[in-house]
Each structure stands twice: as structure tokens, then as C-alpha cells.
Amino acid sequence: MSSARLPPESLDAIEAEAWALIEAGGRSFRAPFHAATLGTISEDGPNLRTVILRGADGPTRRIWCHTDIRSPKIAELRTDPRIGWTLYDEPSRLQFRAWGVAVIHHGDEVAQQRWQATVLNSRRIYHAVAAPSSISAVATGGLPPELDDARWTQEFSERGAANFVALETVITRLEALYLHHAGHRRASFRYDANGTRTAADWLIP
Ligand SMILES: Cc1cc2nc3c(=O)[nH]c(=O)nc-3n(C[C@H](O)[C@H](O)[C@H](O)COP(=O)(O)O)c2cc1C
């Protein structure tokens, strides 16, 4: 029997389910949609990469991830703050796409709060000596050799805060696609800058 999710019957119910599932993906590594594809606009054209969802808030239409201030995606977003998201869960055959505008939190109160909530193990990558995506003469994880287990304490990990970015996307458009043998369903929602819904439509899948 197919495990695909039955689409809810109304646009309101689809929207509520979409945000609830995206929020759950941002809360737990066990939830579907915990890993997602984040798209920016680069000199080479569309630039996609996998990131971990670090939070979402349906009522205010926000999605969060964390990254390094030195990573190319930040430079791209400073040139063009538009973001595209794709989230897919194979067992339920459910895809969400979202579009929005980036707010880069670096060194502000939001970044500090999220850094404090970041567990020790997840802080490690922010200690890379060179910028993420920069070329290296040798195969390396990029972390400094002195960052061995003896030195790796909560106190030492605080140095990584300087590179930490909480990347907020203010969502202006959300789409849900349910693939189901009884009939696919596709729905689209648009939001203004305050998060107020301005459109809800069925689309031909
Ligand atoms: C499963 C998985 C999760 C990842 N999570 C993140 C993340 O949360 N933040 C991040 O910046 N990069 C993450 N990455 C690495 C990115 O995909 C990407 O390689 C890196 O951010 C450099 O991207 P950029 O050069 O476009 O800035 C993840 C990669 C994988 C495979």
C-alpha cells in the first residue's frame, strides 16, 4: 500500500499542514523536511545546496537555517537577497517550494540567541580556518589542528560565534504538491511583507 499522504481537502487545511510540517522539520532531526535545498542567485546562475532547517514559524512566515558568514551564499545574498527553498519527503511524496527574502543575522541579538542554543558539536564547523568553499592545496576538513578533543570545550567553542549567521527567510510565496494515486494536488499561497496571506490558489499539478 502506498504511504503517500492524502491531500487535505481545502486550501486552508493544506496551508496549515504545510507550515506544521515545515515547523516540525525545523525542530527535529528525526522529522521529514529537516534537510532542505536552499537556492540563491549567483554569477554562475541558480546556486543550490542542502542545508539543515533550524526553525520555521508559520504565523510570521519565517524559515531559518544557520551558516558561516564567510560562505559564498552570504555574498550572493548581499547582492540579491532573494531565496528559493525546496523541501521534499519521499515517503509521503510531498514537496514544498518557498520563495522569500533573506535577513542576515550576524552579531545581532537574534544571532546571539541562536548561537547560545547551538549544541557543542554543531559549533565545530564555525572554527574552520579558511572560508567555506575556498580552495585548499590538501584534502582537509578545514578545522585547525589544535581543535582536538582536549581543547574542545564549551568555553573554547565560543570563538566560533564570530563566524555564525542565523539566516532568516521571510516567505512571500509557498507551494505544496501532493503526489497521490487518487489524484495529485497542488496549492499556492502568497504573503505580503507582514506575513498576511494575499492569495490562495489551486494549481494544475
Ligand atoms: C546534509 C547536509 C546538511 C548541510 N547543512 C548545512 C547547513 O545547515 N548550513 C550550511 O551553511 N551548509 C550546510 N551544508 C553544506 C552546504 O550544502 C554547502 O556545501 C555549503 O554551505 C557551502 O555552500 P556555498 O558555497 O554555496 O555557500 C550541508 C550539507 C549537507 C550535505
PDB file of all heavy atoms in Angstrom, residues 35-36 38 40 47-54 65-68 70-74 76 125-126 132-133, ligand 1:
ATOM      1  N   ALA A  35      16.212  18.340   6.349  1.00  0.00           N
ATOM      2  CA  ALA A  35      17.202  18.823   5.373  1.00  0.00           C
ATOM      3  C   ALA A  35      16.445  19.361   4.169  1.00  0.00           C
ATOM      4  O   ALA A  35      15.451  18.772   3.730  1.00  0.00           O
ATOM      5  CB  ALA A  35      18.134  17.683   4.959  1.00  0.00           C
ATOM      6  N   ALA A  36      16.907  20.494   3.660  1.00  0.00           N
ATOM      7  CA  ALA A  36      16.175  21.153   2.577  1.00  0.00           C
ATOM      8  C   ALA A  36      17.175  21.754   1.594  1.00  0.00           C
ATOM      9  O   ALA A  36      18.366  21.849   1.889  1.00  0.00           O
ATOM     10  CB  ALA A  36      15.286  22.251   3.164  1.00  0.00           C
ATOM     11  N   LEU A  38      18.384  24.993  -0.437  1.00  0.00           N
ATOM     12  CA  LEU A  38      18.329  26.457  -0.397  1.00  0.00           C
ATOM     13  C   LEU A  38      18.957  26.996  -1.685  1.00  0.00           C
ATOM     14  O   LEU A  38      20.082  26.632  -2.030  1.00  0.00           O
ATOM     15  CB  LEU A  38      19.127  26.938   0.814  1.00  0.00           C
ATOM     16  CG  LEU A  38      19.465  28.424   0.898  1.00  0.00           C
ATOM     17  CD1 LEU A  38      18.236  29.227   1.281  1.00  0.00           C
ATOM     18  CD2 LEU A  38      20.551  28.663   1.926  1.00  0.00           C
ATOM     19  N   THR A  40      20.124  30.284  -4.105  1.00  0.00           N
ATOM     20  CA  THR A  40      20.438  31.707  -4.226  1.00  0.00           C
ATOM     21  C   THR A  40      20.748  31.996  -5.692  1.00  0.00           C
ATOM     22  O   THR A  40      20.807  31.088  -6.512  1.00  0.00           O
ATOM     23  CB  THR A  40      21.657  32.082  -3.356  1.00  0.00           C
ATOM     24  OG1 THR A  40      22.707  31.147  -3.635  1.00  0.00           O
ATOM     25  CG2 THR A  40      21.329  32.041  -1.873  1.00  0.00           C
ATOM     26  N   ASN A  47      22.032  28.751  -7.705  1.00  0.00           N
ATOM     27  CA  ASN A  47      23.018  28.070  -6.871  1.00  0.00           C
ATOM     28  C   ASN A  47      22.287  27.362  -5.735  1.00  0.00           C
ATOM     29  O   ASN A  47      21.713  28.010  -4.862  1.00  0.00           O
ATOM     30  CB  ASN A  47      24.028  29.089  -6.329  1.00  0.00           C
ATOM     31  CG  ASN A  47      25.309  28.435  -5.866  1.00  0.00           C
ATOM     32  OD1 ASN A  47      25.484  27.227  -6.042  1.00  0.00           O
ATOM     33  ND2 ASN A  47      26.199  29.211  -5.286  1.00  0.00           N
ATOM     34  N   LEU A  48      22.282  26.039  -5.783  1.00  0.00           N
ATOM     35  CA  LEU A  48      21.504  25.236  -4.836  1.00  0.00           C
ATOM     36  C   LEU A  48      22.427  24.468  -3.910  1.00  0.00           C
ATOM     37  O   LEU A  48      23.475  23.993  -4.337  1.00  0.00           O
ATOM     38  CB  LEU A  48      20.629  24.227  -5.592  1.00  0.00           C
ATOM     39  CG  LEU A  48      19.793  24.779  -6.742  1.00  0.00           C
ATOM     40  CD1 LEU A  48      19.071  23.647  -7.453  1.00  0.00           C
ATOM     41  CD2 LEU A  48      18.807  25.806  -6.236  1.00  0.00           C
ATOM     42  N   ARG A  49      22.028  24.334  -2.662  1.00  0.00           N
ATOM     43  CA  ARG A  49      22.778  23.481  -1.734  1.00  0.00           C
ATOM     44  C   ARG A  49      21.824  23.001  -0.634  1.00  0.00           C
ATOM     45  O   ARG A  49      20.799  23.623  -0.346  1.00  0.00           O
ATOM     46  CB  ARG A  49      24.001  24.194  -1.136  1.00  0.00           C
ATOM     47  CG  ARG A  49      23.763  25.165  -0.024  1.00  0.00           C
ATOM     48  CD  ARG A  49      23.215  26.466  -0.472  1.00  0.00           C
ATOM     49  NE  ARG A  49      24.208  27.327  -1.127  1.00  0.00           N
ATOM     50  CZ  ARG A  49      23.884  28.325  -1.896  1.00  0.00           C
ATOM     51  NH1 ARG A  49      22.606  28.609  -2.153  1.00  0.00           N
ATOM     52  NH2 ARG A  49      24.798  29.100  -2.453  1.00  0.00           N
ATOM     53  N   THR A  50      22.220  21.876  -0.033  1.00  0.00           N
ATOM     54  CA  THR A  50      21.453  21.317   1.083  1.00  0.00           C
ATOM     55  C   THR A  50      21.818  22.061   2.356  1.00  0.00           C
ATOM     56  O   THR A  50      22.996  22.309   2.616  1.00  0.00           O
ATOM     57  CB  THR A  50      21.804  19.826   1.278  1.00  0.00           C
ATOM     58  OG1 THR A  50      21.682  19.163   0.026  1.00  0.00           O
ATOM     59  CG2 THR A  50      20.907  19.167   2.305  1.00  0.00           C
ATOM     60  N   VAL A  51      20.820  22.406   3.145  1.00  0.00           N
ATOM     61  CA  VAL A  51      21.072  22.936   4.491  1.00  0.00           C
ATOM     62  C   VAL A  51      20.092  22.273   5.459  1.00  0.00           C
ATOM     63  O   VAL A  51      19.113  21.661   5.043  1.00  0.00           O
ATOM     64  CB  VAL A  51      20.922  24.483   4.570  1.00  0.00           C
ATOM     65  CG1 VAL A  51      21.970  25.199   3.749  1.00  0.00           C
ATOM     66  CG2 VAL A  51      19.525  24.918   4.204  1.00  0.00           C
ATOM     67  N   ILE A  52      20.392  22.426   6.736  1.00  0.00           N
ATOM     68  CA  ILE A  52      19.515  21.908   7.780  1.00  0.00           C
ATOM     69  C   ILE A  52      18.551  23.014   8.206  1.00  0.00           C
ATOM     70  O   ILE A  52      18.974  24.137   8.469  1.00  0.00           O
ATOM     71  CB  ILE A  52      20.348  21.441   8.999  1.00  0.00           C
ATOM     72  CG1 ILE A  52      21.282  20.278   8.601  1.00  0.00           C
ATOM     73  CG2 ILE A  52      19.458  21.052  10.163  1.00  0.00           C
ATOM     74  CD1 ILE A  52      20.574  19.041   8.106  1.00  0.00           C
ATOM     75  N   LEU A  53      17.270  22.666   8.248  1.00  0.00           N
ATOM     76  CA  LEU A  53      16.283  23.634   8.735  1.00  0.00           C
ATOM     77  C   LEU A  53      16.483  23.814  10.236  1.00  0.00           C
ATOM     78  O   LEU A  53      16.496  22.831  10.975  1.00  0.00           O
ATOM     79  CB  LEU A  53      14.865  23.109   8.530  1.00  0.00           C
ATOM     80  CG  LEU A  53      14.127  23.338   7.234  1.00  0.00           C
ATOM     81  CD1 LEU A  53      12.638  23.090   7.456  1.00  0.00           C
ATOM     82  CD2 LEU A  53      14.359  24.725   6.692  1.00  0.00           C
ATOM     83  N   ARG A  54      16.628  25.038  10.661  1.00  0.00           N
ATOM     84  CA  ARG A  54      16.857  25.305  12.088  1.00  0.00           C
ATOM     85  C   ARG A  54      15.679  26.019  12.732  1.00  0.00           C
ATOM     86  O   ARG A  54      15.793  26.564  13.823  1.00  0.00           O
ATOM     87  CB  ARG A  54      18.119  26.155  12.266  1.00  0.00           C
ATOM     88  CG  ARG A  54      19.378  25.466  11.799  1.00  0.00           C
ATOM     89  CD  ARG A  54      19.733  24.288  12.670  1.00  0.00           C
ATOM     90  NE  ARG A  54      20.966  23.643  12.231  1.00  0.00           N
ATOM     91  CZ  ARG A  54      21.472  22.567  12.797  1.00  0.00           C
ATOM     92  NH1 ARG A  54      20.874  22.022  13.827  1.00  0.00           N
ATOM     93  NH2 ARG A  54      22.573  22.038  12.326  1.00  0.00           N
ATOM     94  N   CYS A  65      17.802  28.948   8.748  1.00  0.00           N
ATOM     95  CA  CYS A  65      18.913  27.999   8.735  1.00  0.00           C
ATOM     96  C   CYS A  65      20.129  28.727   9.297  1.00  0.00           C
ATOM     97  O   CYS A  65      20.075  29.944   9.549  1.00  0.00           O
ATOM     98  CB  CYS A  65      19.187  27.453   7.331  1.00  0.00           C
ATOM     99  SG  CYS A  65      19.820  28.675   6.177  1.00  0.00           S
ATOM    100  N   HIS A  66      21.200  27.971   9.527  1.00  0.00           N
ATOM    101  CA  HIS A  66      22.427  28.555  10.079  1.00  0.00           C
ATOM    102  C   HIS A  66      23.566  28.356   9.093  1.00  0.00           C
ATOM    103  O   HIS A  66      23.642  27.328   8.428  1.00  0.00           O
ATOM    104  CB  HIS A  66      22.775  27.897  11.419  1.00  0.00           C
ATOM    105  CG  HIS A  66      21.762  28.170  12.488  1.00  0.00           C
ATOM    106  ND1 HIS A  66      21.717  27.449  13.654  1.00  0.00           N
ATOM    107  CD2 HIS A  66      20.755  29.089  12.560  1.00  0.00           C
ATOM    108  CE1 HIS A  66      20.725  27.919  14.408  1.00  0.00           C
ATOM    109  NE2 HIS A  66      20.116  28.900  13.765  1.00  0.00           N
ATOM    110  N   THR A  67      24.463  29.329   9.024  1.00  0.00           N
ATOM    111  CA  THR A  67      25.584  29.191   8.108  1.00  0.00           C
ATOM    112  C   THR A  67      26.762  30.043   8.571  1.00  0.00           C
ATOM    113  O   THR A  67      26.710  30.685   9.622  1.00  0.00           O
ATOM    114  CB  THR A  67      25.141  29.533   6.659  1.00  0.00           C
ATOM    115  OG1 THR A  67      26.140  29.103   5.749  1.00  0.00           O
ATOM    116  CG2 THR A  67      24.882  31.017   6.484  1.00  0.00           C
ATOM    117  N   ASP A  68      27.808  30.027   7.764  1.00  0.00           N
ATOM    118  CA  ASP A  68      29.049  30.752   8.084  1.00  0.00           C
ATOM    119  C   ASP A  68      29.057  32.071   7.320  1.00  0.00           C
ATOM    120  O   ASP A  68      28.778  32.085   6.114  1.00  0.00           O
ATOM    121  CB  ASP A  68      30.240  29.864   7.661  1.00  0.00           C
ATOM    122  CG  ASP A  68      31.576  30.372   8.179  1.00  0.00           C
ATOM    123  OD1 ASP A  68      31.919  31.549   7.917  1.00  0.00           O
ATOM    124  OD2 ASP A  68      32.296  29.593   8.828  1.00  0.00           O
ATOM    125  N   ARG A  70      31.329  33.674   6.146  1.00  0.00           N
ATOM    126  CA  ARG A  70      32.316  33.706   5.055  1.00  0.00           C
ATOM    127  C   ARG A  70      31.891  32.875   3.847  1.00  0.00           C
ATOM    128  O   ARG A  70      32.595  32.847   2.847  1.00  0.00           O
ATOM    129  CB  ARG A  70      33.663  33.184   5.581  1.00  0.00           C
ATOM    130  CG  ARG A  70      34.202  33.969   6.769  1.00  0.00           C
ATOM    131  CD  ARG A  70      35.338  33.226   7.456  1.00  0.00           C
ATOM    132  NE  ARG A  70      34.872  31.987   8.081  1.00  0.00           N
ATOM    133  CZ  ARG A  70      35.661  31.070   8.623  1.00  0.00           C
ATOM    134  NH1 ARG A  70      36.970  31.248   8.614  1.00  0.00           N
ATOM    135  NH2 ARG A  70      35.157  29.987   9.180  1.00  0.00           N
ATOM    136  N   SER A  71      30.759  32.202   3.919  1.00  0.00           N
ATOM    137  CA  SER A  71      30.379  31.304   2.813  1.00  0.00           C
ATOM    138  C   SER A  71      29.840  32.112   1.624  1.00  0.00           C
ATOM    139  O   SER A  71      29.228  33.167   1.795  1.00  0.00           O
ATOM    140  CB  SER A  71      29.362  30.262   3.286  1.00  0.00           C
ATOM    141  OG  SER A  71      28.135  30.875   3.580  1.00  0.00           O
ATOM    142  N   PRO A  72      30.079  31.618   0.411  1.00  0.00           N
ATOM    143  CA  PRO A  72      29.653  32.357  -0.784  1.00  0.00           C
ATOM    144  C   PRO A  72      28.162  32.704  -0.806  1.00  0.00           C
ATOM    145  O   PRO A  72      27.765  33.732  -1.366  1.00  0.00           O
ATOM    146  CB  PRO A  72      30.016  31.402  -1.919  1.00  0.00           C
ATOM    147  CG  PRO A  72      31.179  30.624  -1.392  1.00  0.00           C
ATOM    148  CD  PRO A  72      30.906  30.445   0.077  1.00  0.00           C
ATOM    149  N   LYS A  73      27.353  31.869  -0.185  1.00  0.00           N
ATOM    150  CA  LYS A  73      25.916  32.160  -0.230  1.00  0.00           C
ATOM    151  C   LYS A  73      25.596  33.510   0.418  1.00  0.00           C
ATOM    152  O   LYS A  73      24.660  34.193   0.015  1.00  0.00           O
ATOM    153  CB  LYS A  73      25.091  31.017   0.382  1.00  0.00           C
ATOM    154  CG  LYS A  73      25.295  30.810   1.864  1.00  0.00           C
ATOM    155  CD  LYS A  73      24.435  29.693   2.410  1.00  0.00           C
ATOM    156  CE  LYS A  73      25.023  28.315   2.279  1.00  0.00           C
ATOM    157  NZ  LYS A  73      26.375  28.115   2.839  1.00  0.00           N
ATOM    158  N   ILE A  74      26.391  33.896   1.425  1.00  0.00           N
ATOM    159  CA  ILE A  74      26.142  35.183   2.084  1.00  0.00           C
ATOM    160  C   ILE A  74      26.484  36.333   1.136  1.00  0.00           C
ATOM    161  O   ILE A  74      25.714  37.295   1.011  1.00  0.00           O
ATOM    162  CB  ILE A  74      26.938  35.286   3.407  1.00  0.00           C
ATOM    163  CG1 ILE A  74      26.431  34.255   4.424  1.00  0.00           C
ATOM    164  CG2 ILE A  74      26.858  36.698   3.988  1.00  0.00           C
ATOM    165  CD1 ILE A  74      24.984  34.448   4.863  1.00  0.00           C
ATOM    166  N   GLU A  76      26.386  36.180  -2.055  1.00  0.00           N
ATOM    167  CA  GLU A  76      25.331  36.175  -3.086  1.00  0.00           C
ATOM    168  C   GLU A  76      24.069  36.867  -2.571  1.00  0.00           C
ATOM    169  O   GLU A  76      23.434  37.640  -3.296  1.00  0.00           O
ATOM    170  CB  GLU A  76      25.020  34.739  -3.493  1.00  0.00           C
ATOM    171  CG  GLU A  76      26.134  34.103  -4.309  1.00  0.00           C
ATOM    172  CD  GLU A  76      26.098  32.590  -4.365  1.00  0.00           C
ATOM    173  OE1 GLU A  76      25.100  31.985  -3.914  1.00  0.00           O
ATOM    174  OE2 GLU A  76      27.090  32.005  -4.840  1.00  0.00           O
ATOM    175  N   ILE A 125      32.042  23.456  13.095  1.00  0.00           N
ATOM    176  CA  ILE A 125      32.318  23.908  11.719  1.00  0.00           C
ATOM    177  C   ILE A 125      32.595  25.412  11.635  1.00  0.00           C
ATOM    178  O   ILE A 125      33.211  25.861  10.677  1.00  0.00           O
ATOM    179  CB  ILE A 125      31.166  23.551  10.751  1.00  0.00           C
ATOM    180  CG1 ILE A 125      29.828  23.941  11.351  1.00  0.00           C
ATOM    181  CG2 ILE A 125      31.201  22.093  10.363  1.00  0.00           C
ATOM    182  CD1 ILE A 125      28.707  23.926  10.338  1.00  0.00           C
ATOM    183  N   TYR A 126      32.147  26.152  12.624  1.00  0.00           N
ATOM    184  CA  TYR A 126      32.355  27.607  12.578  1.00  0.00           C
ATOM    185  C   TYR A 126      33.789  27.996  12.944  1.00  0.00           C
ATOM    186  O   TYR A 126      34.133  29.175  12.969  1.00  0.00           O
ATOM    187  CB  TYR A 126      31.322  28.314  13.482  1.00  0.00           C
ATOM    188  CG  TYR A 126      29.926  28.044  12.976  1.00  0.00           C
ATOM    189  CD1 TYR A 126      29.122  27.052  13.536  1.00  0.00           C
ATOM    190  CD2 TYR A 126      29.420  28.741  11.877  1.00  0.00           C
ATOM    191  CE1 TYR A 126      27.856  26.769  13.037  1.00  0.00           C
ATOM    192  CE2 TYR A 126      28.167  28.474  11.376  1.00  0.00           C
ATOM    193  CZ  TYR A 126      27.396  27.491  11.954  1.00  0.00           C
ATOM    194  OH  TYR A 126      26.155  27.219  11.433  1.00  0.00           O
ATOM    195  N   PRO A 132      34.557  28.699   4.135  1.00  0.00           N
ATOM    196  CA  PRO A 132      33.924  27.572   3.466  1.00  0.00           C
ATOM    197  C   PRO A 132      33.899  27.829   1.957  1.00  0.00           C
ATOM    198  O   PRO A 132      33.707  28.966   1.520  1.00  0.00           O
ATOM    199  CB  PRO A 132      32.489  27.574   4.019  1.00  0.00           C
ATOM    200  CG  PRO A 132      32.571  28.317   5.300  1.00  0.00           C
ATOM    201  CD  PRO A 132      33.683  29.313   5.147  1.00  0.00           C
ATOM    202  N   SER A 133      34.144  26.800   1.198  1.00  0.00           N
ATOM    203  CA  SER A 133      34.153  26.844  -0.279  1.00  0.00           C
ATOM    204  C   SER A 133      35.447  27.410  -0.862  1.00  0.00           C
ATOM    205  O   SER A 133      35.590  27.466  -2.081  1.00  0.00           O
ATOM    206  CB  SER A 133      32.952  27.609  -0.871  1.00  0.00           C
ATOM    207  OG  SER A 133      31.738  27.050  -0.417  1.00  0.00           O
TER     208      SER A 133
HETATM  209  C1  LIG B   1      23.009  17.074   4.868  1.00  0.00           C
HETATM  210  C2  LIG B   1      23.730  18.396   4.702  1.00  0.00           C
HETATM  211  C3  LIG B   1      23.426  19.421   5.567  1.00  0.00           C
HETATM  212  C4  LIG B   1      24.063  20.657   5.435  1.00  0.00           C
HETATM  213  N1  LIG B   1      23.709  21.675   6.268  1.00  0.00           N
HETATM  214  C5  LIG B   1      24.258  22.889   6.095  1.00  0.00           C
HETATM  215  C6  LIG B   1      23.800  23.990   6.893  1.00  0.00           C
HETATM  216  O1  LIG B   1      22.914  23.879   7.737  1.00  0.00           O
HETATM  217  N2  LIG B   1      24.391  25.206   6.656  1.00  0.00           N
HETATM  218  C7  LIG B   1      25.359  25.382   5.706  1.00  0.00           C
HETATM  219  O2  LIG B   1      25.831  26.508   5.544  1.00  0.00           O
HETATM  220  N3  LIG B   1      25.796  24.365   4.940  1.00  0.00           N
HETATM  221  C8  LIG B   1      25.264  23.129   5.100  1.00  0.00           C
HETATM  222  N4  LIG B   1      25.672  22.089   4.310  1.00  0.00           N
HETATM  223  C9  LIG B   1      26.743  22.328   3.309  1.00  0.00           C
HETATM  224  C10 LIG B   1      26.150  23.048   2.087  1.00  0.00           C
HETATM  225  O3  LIG B   1      25.393  22.132   1.304  1.00  0.00           O
HETATM  226  C11 LIG B   1      27.232  23.717   1.208  1.00  0.00           C
HETATM  227  O4  LIG B   1      28.147  22.746   0.740  1.00  0.00           O
HETATM  228  C12 LIG B   1      27.999  24.795   1.974  1.00  0.00           C
HETATM  229  O5  LIG B   1      27.118  25.544   2.805  1.00  0.00           O
HETATM  230  C13 LIG B   1      28.718  25.757   1.028  1.00  0.00           C
HETATM  231  O6  LIG B   1      27.748  26.435   0.264  1.00  0.00           O
HETATM  232  P1  LIG B   1      28.073  27.810  -0.516  1.00  0.00           P
HETATM  233  O7  LIG B   1      29.457  27.647  -1.098  1.00  0.00           O
HETATM  234  O8  LIG B   1      27.032  27.869  -1.576  1.00  0.00           O
HETATM  235  O9  LIG B   1      27.949  28.917   0.474  1.00  0.00           O
HETATM  236  C14 LIG B   1      25.037  20.846   4.416  1.00  0.00           C
HETATM  237  C15 LIG B   1      25.312  19.800   3.536  1.00  0.00           C
HETATM  238  C16 LIG B   1      24.677  18.587   3.680  1.00  0.00           C
HETATM  239  C17 LIG B   1      25.002  17.505   2.703  1.00  0.00           C
END
